[in-house]
Amino acid sequence: MNLPKAEELQSIVSHGRWDRAAAVLARLDPAVAADAFLSLPHHEQEVLFHHLPLDFAARLVPACAPYDAFVLLHTLPADRMKALVEKMNPAERVNFIDELPEEVWRQIVTEIYGDDGAAARALETPPAPTVEPIIEARQIEKRFGRAGGGEVQVIAPTSLRIEPGVIVALLGPSGSGKSTLLRMLSGLAQPSAGQVLWHGQPLDGHKPNVAIVFQSFALFPWLTVLDNVEVPLLARGMERAERRRRAVKNLQAVGLAGFEDAYPKELSGGMKQRVGFARALAVEPEILFMDEPFSALDVLTAETLRGELLELWQEKKISTKSIFLVTHNIEEAVLMADRIIVLAANPARIRADFRVSLHTRNRNSTEFLLYVDYIYKLMTRPLLEAEPPAPAEVGRQSGAARIPYRMLPHARPGSIAGLLELLNDRGGKEDLYRIAEELRMDVDDLLPVVEAAALLSFAKSERGDIELTPAGKSFAEADIAARKTLFREEALAHVRLLQQMHSAVLTKSDGAMPLEFFRDILDEHLSNEEVQREIETALDWGRYSGLFTYDSETDRLKRMEVMRMEVMRMEGDV
Amino acid sequence: MSEKARSAAQASNRAPTVRERSRQWGKIPFAGASTLLTDAPVALAGFVLFYGLVALARYWTAPVNPEAHIDLRPAALPLYAAFSVARIAVAYILSLVFSLSYGYIAARHARAERVMIPILDTLQSIPVLCFLPPVMLSMAALFPKAQFGLEIGSILLIFTGQVWNMAFSVYASFKQIPREMLEAAQLYRLSGWQQFLQLELPYTAISLIWNSMMSVAGGWFALMVCEMFVLGNRDLRLPGLGSYLQTASNAGDTRAIVWGLIAMVSVIVLLDQLIWRPMIAWGEKFKFEQVEAAETPRSPVLDFLRRSKLLSRAGHATFAPLREALTLYFARKELETRPRTEGRDFTEWAWRAAWLVTLAGVLYGAAKMAALLTQVSRDDLREIVWGAGATFLRVELTLVLAALWTIPVGVLVGLNPRLSAIAQPLAQIAASVPAPALFPVVLLLLIRIGGGLGVASIVLLLLGTQWYILFNVIAGASAIPADLKEVCGVFRLPRWERWRTLFLPAIFPFLITGFVTASGGAWNASIIAEYFRFRGQTFSLTGLGAVISRATDAGDFATLLGATIAISTLVVAVNRFLWRRLYRLASTRFTLESA
């Protein structure tokens, strides 16, 4: 603590010379200033804070301990608080927000941005249904039959409404059932239970006027661009002239005039997706569904298309009443949507549903970053609440309630090592979204790696941050052989499947164990693809850390020494 | 700028649309001289085709020809060639219709699929020539009065030889249609007809064209055998290229043999150039790819047809409006239909009825078959068992012989692009001549130099099978990545090491594919290779094929059935237990793709 400065400040303040105190502080380094400032009595802090110039206050706040900063901010009127937060250096602002407990942070956001009337628009409160929804899902769920009998719950009972006039984004990690939900809402797939209402009427049998823009474009390569757009119109029995007029109009709207006679394979990815948009818009759908429409495109093209779509929407050049966007790209969701629904996986259910009230859709604005960071926190926050009981739980038949099997995060040891090294270079702690940005990775790809590092207790992940543990640090600094040892120890300590595999090959007299045995065990808990993925991850980790080897020809796990002996024997033969 | 004005401005600087182009054509009522040049041949070809149909109809309805007389003058060859081609064409159209329906039903109805696909799988492995003797005899008996009966028989056999492969390819491509494409069709509520026309048929087109080519080659094989079919004292020959070659060899007429072979090769080359090459080039349009390929197959004939204004105008006048009207009709009908909920009971009921009928039919057939099989005498049974062994050895020996020369030659050709540019087309022509057409010629030669049917049968089997292996080995060798070859060079691997570590493993999957096809072909050919009537003599060997032919000859249906069952079981067993396993090994361990 910088005592002389603190004493000087206290004496100035005790004489009530606030402006002079502010001037003294402003000359100091923010960290020193914060120390001195916080040594003042509480009520004087507040008064002095109000006298500080905005620029300096914006530098001082991040230097204070989070709680103090929060209290200080709280004393300001909303407009000044907003001005101050916006004055902060973006990096510091994000850090500062990170430090705050979530409720506090949300309170600030509400206070800053809820000024034009609404705590009702606070985060995590779905909009009050004031208008008649176009589509309403009531407790829809999806279960798939498993090969070995029984069912897997993919989507837990879920209710949601899509009202006209909004863009809704559905966010969630890959495999969380986003696409399945979209297909049930659009009438392509039937829910296993529950009901989808289209303007209040049951969907089954009714033919909703919707369109989907697909990730893979789903264009017919043997038809020209024009014929592709005409396909749905022809299906509606429209005469040739009218079809052509509509198709040409929509192609012009998406900027493809002049490409009518081209075949899709002659077009770039972005242009193909424009054809996809034109085809979808041609039927004048009430709801335009989009299933990761930009994820097959490169970054720049995707950005352009997003902008153009938003423009069409905002200027009401398209007759679509609502847009439902499925994506795993957080920034895309914040950029486009008026409302974001975040899904949790296994089985899918709504984790958060909130309005996005941005004044500008600018990637560098405070508000934008606030939302992005908030969603990262949501998605990385471990699910503490108990799994909601599924009504048709399979376990009921076998008598006992089953604890859901926790799958290994599907990440390669190489990626885990890479992440730990990067963290170590960054001083051991970093924001997840910044890592994602640096590595040009989607959350989808990054989260499993983070989870794996956390599972092996090489890192801790909290509130959108990731921090290296001592074990993680020694791993990042170790050489290849030492890394394998470290990985082996942690894997044996934390991963039950690897423990089982390891002890199986150790105890068997021939040192070999059919992999089929483990597949059978996993079959009880997981679907076929999940079993395959789980085994793949376990093999990858086990082989990397030298817990066992795997012989693909006989489909057996083997003890390391056994394999080595076999190799030696074979060499002896030759 | 108003919306209208802007769109007009945009319209002016873009390429003409299809509609605008067709309007341009409309402005030129009389085509110029250049059009006449391209249109005249097209029109002429149309007339010739029509005349051919009339002539064929007259011949087919003519009374039966008791003793097939084959004219050996070269001038008779065009007519014989036309007969052969007509049989192939009729059988092909039948196969096409059948495969599309079969594949469609199997791919779209999960319940039907469970029955239809195993049936297809089994039928595919039964050698088609097993059916030859009984089919020809029964057809001759069914239509004793008209030539029609034998023709139907031959067409039926060609059909059997072609159809399974095509049906399977249709089914497989229907199953491969990407989910999102089907979802788009479902979402936009395409009628069944529109979905078939705009999604399913185009999607299957390329694989259908390639498989059609292969199937028709198989059809030629069966046709040649049909045309020269003589069983015991019954002369069931049909006028055609096959019977011409056989008669020529019978008479030892070298000049006629040469003319016949020339005609055969020209017909096949012409068909290739006039039908298959244009089809393949046209099929490029249906390639399901996201980017344009650098090199695409081209066909001058297709370019010529595309330039023909007569054809395109005829198409605009007939096909386009017809397609439009049909599609609109089905679309409107689809829009009218309410969701089927009440119809489901009926469908369910119909399915059950179909099941019961099928089951009853199968049970009845099985009972009858079992009853017939009890009549097989012990001697016949012994003959079947020995024959099975002998044919098995003969087939495997052929494969080994074929592999012995094709592997080194194929690798050599495949590794050398310049050599393969010369060798490939030659080998393709050689391969396209159906082996049975050569059989009388080979037999004649061997008898002259003193070999018997034993050698001749192996030569025939080789002629029918070696090409499959050769082409696959060439394909495999030319697919070896250059960097792997360079690695061998860098480490100075000795020649044998190179073969062991690179060439043999790299061509292994291709080799297995070749072997699978070749093995099927060899079993098929064994039926005619073991029992042959030549110059009034019957040459026969120990073998299942001989047992089948002899049993048909003697009207011994019990033995015929037993032998057919034996050969089918053997083929299916060899496929399941040998080839399929090797195939799996090849596709997991020896693929060059890095997964």
Side-chain angles (χ1 to χ4, degrees):
Chain A
M1 185 170 291
N2 201 323
L3 280 173
K5 285 293 169 205
E7 278 162 21
E8 184 192 344
L9 193 67
Q10 277 166 13
S11 88
I12 298 172
V13 165
S14 64
H15 289 92
R17 293 156 66 186
W18 303 110
D19 292 329
R20 170 147 168 72
V24 169
L25 270 185
R27 278 201 300 273
L28 298 175
D29 173 77
V32 180
D35 261 1
F37 181 81
L38 291 176
S39 69
L40 295 175
H42 183 248
H43 61 278
E44 288 176 354
Q45 279 183 22
E46 278 184 28
V47 182
L48 178 56
F49 191 65
H50 289 247
H51 280 87
L52 291 178
L54 200 59
D55 283 349
F56 179 67
R59 269 182 288 140
L60 185 71
V61 168
C64 296
Y67 178 74
D68 299 299
F70 169 66
V71 172
L72 283 174
L73 274 178
H74 218 74
T75 63
L76 297 174
D79 55 337
R80 195 170 154 81
M81 178 155 55
K82 186 177 170 194
L84 193 147
V85 172
E86 268 163 14
K87 264 276 155 48
M88 284 170 146
N89 157 336
E92 282 180 342
R93 181 170 52 212
V94 168
N95 267 336
F96 165 66
I97 290 161
D98 273 1
E99 296 296 322
L100 292 178
E102 197 177 306
E103 308 79 62
V104 173
W105 174 82
R106 213 180 298 158
Q107 198 177 334
I108 292 186
V109 172
T110 318
E111 278 172 25
I112 296 178
Y113 299 108
D115 53 326
D116 48 338
R121 294 201 311 171
L123 298 171
E124 280 214 63
T125 41
T130 49
V131 263
E132 180 81 1
I134 303 175
I135 283 184
E136 182 179 1
R138 285 191 185 155
Q139 297 290 308
I140 52 169
E141 52 184 302
K142 190 81 184 173
R143 293 184 296 264
F144 286 119
R146 245 199 323 243
E151 286 184 324
V152 186
Q153 177 110 25
V154 187
I155 294 182
T158 301
S159 299
L160 64 95
R161 308 151 66 98
I162 303 175
E163 283 99 13
V166 286
I167 301 183
V168 182
L170 183 66
L171 258 176
S174 62
S176 60
K178 296 181 300 254
S179 291
T180 314
L181 197 55
L182 177 141
R183 277 160 179 76
M184 289 198 293
L185 290 175
S186 63
L188 271 181
Q190 294 292 319
S192 310
Q195 220 179 11
V196 178
L197 300 180
W198 171 256
H199 288 296
Q201 301 289 319
L203 193 63
D204 42 285
H206 205 82
K207 293 165 178 169
N209 185 12
V210 293
I212 298 185
V213 175
F214 294 94
Q215 179 178 7
S216 66
F217 320 128
L219 300 176
F220 300 136
W222 38 84
L223 298 182
T224 61
V225 165
L226 193 65
D227 288 338
N228 259 296
V229 179
E230 280 186 27
V231 164
L233 303 176
L234 183 59
R236 301 198 172 190
M238 210 176 271
E239 291 294 340
R240 191 180 160 85
E242 172 64 10
R243 258 171 17 221
R244 200 126 287 196
R245 197 188 59 75
R246 275 237 233 167
V248 169
K249 191 186 88 184
N250 278 290
L251 281 171
Q252 274 171 6
V254 298
L256 274 182
F259 286 94
E260 289 87 350
D261 279 348
Y263 285 93
K265 64 184 164 201
E266 299 168 54
L267 305 181
S268 67
M271 306 243 272
K272 275 181 214 156
Q273 195 55 296
R274 281 166 203 260
V275 182
F277 276 119
R279 181 176 69 180
L281 294 174
V283 300
E284 301 184 342
E286 279 197 64
I287 298 191
L288 176 63
F289 287 94
M290 299 199 282
D291 190 6
E292 311 220 353
F294 309 111
S295 55
L297 308 175
D298 65 90
V299 182
L300 287 177
T301 310
E303 192 67 16
T304 316
L305 267 183
R306 275 184 212 117
E308 289 182 4
L309 180 69
L310 268 182
E311 201 182 305
L312 285 175
W313 165 256
Q314 280 159 357
E315 293 175 9
K316 305 250 181 293
K317 284 191 183 154
I318 47 181
S319 57
T320 300
K321 289 195 190 130
S322 178
I323 295 180
F324 188 88
L325 166 75
V326 162
T327 176
H328 60 250
N329 183 327
I330 294 177
E331 298 197 3
E332 179 174 299
V334 178
L335 199 67
M336 300 196 66
D338 301 304
R339 178 178 158 203
I340 295 179
I341 299 171
V342 180
L343 280 191
N346 280 331
R349 62 203 174 280
I350 294 179
R351 184 169 202 177
D353 181 350
F354 52 90
R355 264 189 189 269
V356 182
S357 41
L358 289 178
H359 294 94
T360 60
R361 307 252 169 189
N362 177 347
R363 279 176 188 274
N364 293 317
S365 75
T366 323
E367 306 164 88
F368 187 87
L369 290 177
L370 282 175
Y371 276 107
V372 171
D373 201 55
Y374 170 63
I375 296 169
Y376 264 96
K377 278 181 188 169
L378 263 179
M379 288 176 76
T380 50
R381 184 176 64 189
L383 276 172
L384 295 175
E385 65 265 44
E387 307 280 317
E393 183 54 64
V394 216
R396 208 179 284 159
Q397 288 136 3
S398 56
R402 242 183 247 176
I403 305 158
Y405 179 89
R406 278 203 82 113
M407 285 183 66
L408 290 174
H410 191 55
R412 298 202 166 269
S415 317
I416 302 171
L419 176 73
L420 296 177
E421 273 174 40
L422 182 77
L423 268 179
N424 196 32
D425 291 345
R426 296 301 187 78
K429 191 175 179 190
E430 187 58 282
D431 267 303
L432 271 182
Y433 82 88
R434 230 174 273 170
I435 291 186
E437 208 162 77
E438 172 117 343
L439 300 177
R440 294 239 149 265
M441 276 172 105
D442 276 328
V443 227
D444 251 20
D445 307 322
L446 183 61
L447 283 188
V449 185
V450 171
E451 274 173 43
L455 174 68
L456 296 169
S457 72
F458 286 138
K460 281 187 299 194
S461 143
E462 238 178 17
R463 293 195 274 124
D465 284 344
I466 176 164
E467 188 177 359
L468 218 52
T469 60
K473 193 168 167 57
S474 41
F475 180 91
E477 287 163 0
D479 64 13
I480 295 178
R483 274 186 183 180
K484 292 197 170 205
T485 317
L486 283 171
F487 198 101
R488 181 161 58 227
E489 282 163 7
E490 298 296 346
L492 277 182
H494 301 288
V495 184
R496 201 167 145 63
L497 180 59
L498 287 176
Q499 288 164 9
Q500 291 167 339
M501 288 177 159
H502 185 230
S503 64
V505 292
L506 278 189
T507 49
K508 286 267 288 192
S509 56
D510 58 350
M513 186 75 186
L515 196 56
E516 201 52 38
F517 174 77
F518 296 102
R519 285 202 197 98
D520 286 345
I521 296 182
L522 292 176
D523 256 346
E524 308 238 315
H525 307 278
L526 304 173
S527 73
N528 280 347
E529 294 97 70
E530 284 172 331
V531 170
Q532 204 182 340
R533 210 187 78 183
E534 186 75 355
I535 290 279
E536 200 180 295
T537 317
L539 279 185
D540 208 16
W541 291 17
R543 280 165 137 179
Y544 169 78
S545 56
L547 284 172
F548 46 75
T549 63
Y550 167 66
D551 183 359
S552 62
E553 230 145 279
T554 56
D555 194 37
R556 273 158 193 271
L557 296 177
K558 286 188 176 165
R559 213 185 301 159
M560 288 295 274
E561 306 86 69
V562 172
M563 195 66 162
R564 259 179 226 142
M565 265 153 58
E566 275 174 17
V567 169
M568 268 152 58
R569 206 179 309 137
M570 268 165 59
E571 279 168 354
D573 286 349
V574 175
Chain B
M1 202 192 288
S2 76
E3 191 62 44
K4 217 174 186 178
R6 200 184 313 160
S7 69
Q10 271 169 341
S12 64
N13 53 22
R14 69 190 150 84
T17 62
V18 175
R19 186 151 157 245
E20 283 158 2
R21 269 199 215 144
S22 59
R23 221 183 287 135
Q24 281 169 7
W25 290 330
K27 281 179 198 151
I28 315 165
F30 297 103
S34 67
T35 329
L36 211 74
L37 215 64
T38 48
D39 280 347
V42 173
L44 193 66
F47 293 135
V48 170
L49 204 67
F50 182 72
Y51 170 76
L53 281 178
V54 171
L56 211 63
R58 209 176 51 194
Y59 157 69
W60 271 348
T61 46
V64 71
N65 200 350
E67 187 90 344
H69 173 73
I70 306 293
D71 190 350
L72 283 185
R73 280 173 308 163
L77 272 170
L79 186 65
Y80 288 146
F83 282 145
S84 295
V85 171
R87 285 179 199 120
I88 292 273
V90 173
Y92 175 71
I93 290 166
L94 285 178
S95 312
L96 189 65
V97 172
F98 179 88
S99 342
L100 282 174
S101 342
Y102 197 96
Y104 188 85
I105 295 172
R108 289 287 165 263
H109 299 276
R111 249 191 289 185
E113 182 182 5
R114 255 173 280 151
V115 190
M116 288 171 87
I117 293 312
I119 290 180
L120 199 59
D121 215 21
T122 313
L123 285 177
Q124 207 177 5
S125 29
I126 297 179
V128 59
L129 294 185
C130 282
F131 299 115
L132 173 72
V135 166
M136 289 305 266
L137 280 185
S138 58
M139 281 301 153
L142 211 58
F143 300 93
K145 291 272 165 58
Q147 194 66 21
F148 198 59
L150 285 182
E151 294 290 347
I152 293 271
S154 74
I155 287 169
L156 224 91
L157 268 177
I158 304 169
F159 170 83
T160 326
Q162 288 176 337
V163 76
W164 314 127
N165 174 32
M166 285 168 62
F168 214 84
S169 93
V170 169
Y171 162 78
S173 28
F174 277 4
K175 287 298 262 192
Q176 277 166 10
I177 298 178
R179 199 184 66 152
E180 293 203 331
M181 306 274 288
L182 286 173
E183 282 178 346
Q186 187 192 341
L187 188 82
Y188 295 124
R189 308 202 295 270
L190 267 56
S191 63
W193 165 255
Q194 194 186 352
Q195 183 167 340
F196 180 72
L197 202 69
Q198 292 194 315
L199 176 57
E200 285 153 341
L201 193 59
Y203 194 87
T204 190
I206 291 193
S207 112
L208 193 57
I209 292 172
W210 283 102
N211 278 290
S212 295
M213 261 173 85
M214 278 176 56
S215 291
V216 169
W220 275 105
F221 191 96
L223 177 69
M224 288 300 116
V225 181
C226 288
E227 285 180 351
M228 55 177 76
F229 190 57
V230 181
L231 201 59
N233 300 322
R234 270 169 291 186
D235 186 355
L236 300 175
R237 286 180 302 169
L238 289 164
L241 282 177
S243 44
Y244 181 93
L245 276 171
Q246 198 227 18
T247 316
S249 309
N250 242 337
D253 184 345
T254 320
R255 211 174 64 105
I257 292 178
V258 171
W259 274 112
L261 286 178
I262 290 175
M264 179 87 240
V265 170
S266 352
V267 164
I268 282 170
V269 169
L270 269 179
L271 280 183
D272 185 64
Q273 287 300 315
L274 292 181
I275 311 269
W276 299 120
R277 291 293 132 192
M279 286 296 275
I280 288 170
W282 177 73
E284 272 305 291
K285 182 175 160 176
F286 302 110
K287 215 168 212 176
F288 196 79
E289 59 182 3
Q290 294 303 321
V291 284
E292 211 162 1
E295 216 172 295
T296 52
R298 298 206 60 84
S299 158
V301 177
L302 181 68
D303 293 342
F304 179 78
L305 289 179
R306 273 185 177 151
R307 271 201 302 272
S308 160
K309 303 229 159 125
L310 186 73
L311 266 191
S312 85
R313 212 177 300 157
H316 272 278
T318 54
F319 284 116
L322 186 70
R323 196 177 53 191
E324 170 86 9
L326 272 176
T327 314
L328 279 180
Y329 168 75
F330 281 111
R332 283 169 189 161
K333 211 174 140 196
E334 173 83 16
L335 287 179
E336 279 163 21
T337 49
R338 302 307 302 163
R340 281 171 297 162
T341 40
E342 66 283 346
R344 203 165 287 166
D345 282 345
F346 173 74
T347 335
E348 190 70 16
W349 185 84
W351 267 112
R352 269 186 213 148
W355 261 113
L356 276 178
V357 170
T358 319
L359 199 69
V362 169
L363 282 178
Y364 178 76
K368 284 296 235 186
M369 210 164 77
L372 191 60
L373 278 180
T374 52
Q375 294 171 16
V376 178
S377 70
R378 189 163 293 205
D379 284 347
D380 289 340
L381 196 64
R382 197 183 313 123
E383 210 176 327
I384 289 177
V385 172
W386 278 112
T391 306
F392 179 80
L393 287 179
R394 202 167 286 128
V395 166
E396 303 312 314
L397 177 66
T398 310
L399 291 185
V400 170
L401 284 177
L404 277 181
W405 83 265
T406 51
I407 292 177
V409 171
V411 169
L412 193 72
V413 171
L415 289 180
N416 186 340
R418 221 183 308 159
L419 189 60
S420 72
I422 306 168
Q424 283 263 45
L426 286 180
Q428 262 163 14
I429 291 178
S432 63
V433 177
L438 297 177
F439 196 37
V441 185
V442 170
L443 206 57
L444 179 70
L445 268 173
L446 280 171
I447 286 169
R448 276 190 190 160
I449 61 173
L453 187 66
V455 182
S457 69
I458 300 261
V459 173
L460 177 70
L461 294 190
L462 262 180
L463 281 174
T465 55
Q466 58 196 352
W467 308 110
Y468 297 117
I469 307 179
L470 180 69
F471 288 136
N472 274 291
V473 170
I474 292 178
S478 54
I480 298 176
D483 44 6
L484 286 185
K485 282 184 267 179
E486 279 161 14
V487 167
C488 291
V490 168
F491 292 126
R492 293 175 204 285
L493 289 190
R495 178 172 296 183
W496 166 239
E497 274 299 299
R498 254 176 234 215
W499 277 86
R500 205 175 66 104
T501 53
L502 179 60
F503 299 153
L504 288 179
I507 62 167
F508 187 70
F510 294 86
L511 195 60
I512 295 299
T513 314
F515 271 140
V516 173
T517 331
S519 165
W523 279 102
N524 201 2
S526 72
I527 292 172
I528 50 159
E530 291 172 352
Y531 184 90
F532 205 81
R533 226 178 140 75
F534 190 65
R535 293 188 162 178
Q537 272 177 284
T538 305
F539 294 83
S540 173
L541 290 171
T542 310
L544 263 185
V547 174
I548 289 177
S549 301
R550 210 174 306 133
T552 320
D553 217 1
D556 180 357
F557 287 102
T559 312
L560 174 64
L561 184 66
T564 307
I565 290 176
I567 200 166
S568 310
T569 319
L570 210 56
V571 172
V572 173
V574 170
N575 274 349
R576 287 274 146 85
F577 295 113
L578 181 65
W579 298 123
R580 200 166 285 185
R581 278 181 195 193
L582 283 173
Y583 202 75
R584 206 169 301 143
L585 178 70
S587 61
T588 51
R589 235 187 103 178
F590 292 106
T591 43
L592 277 168
E593 292 158 15
S594 46

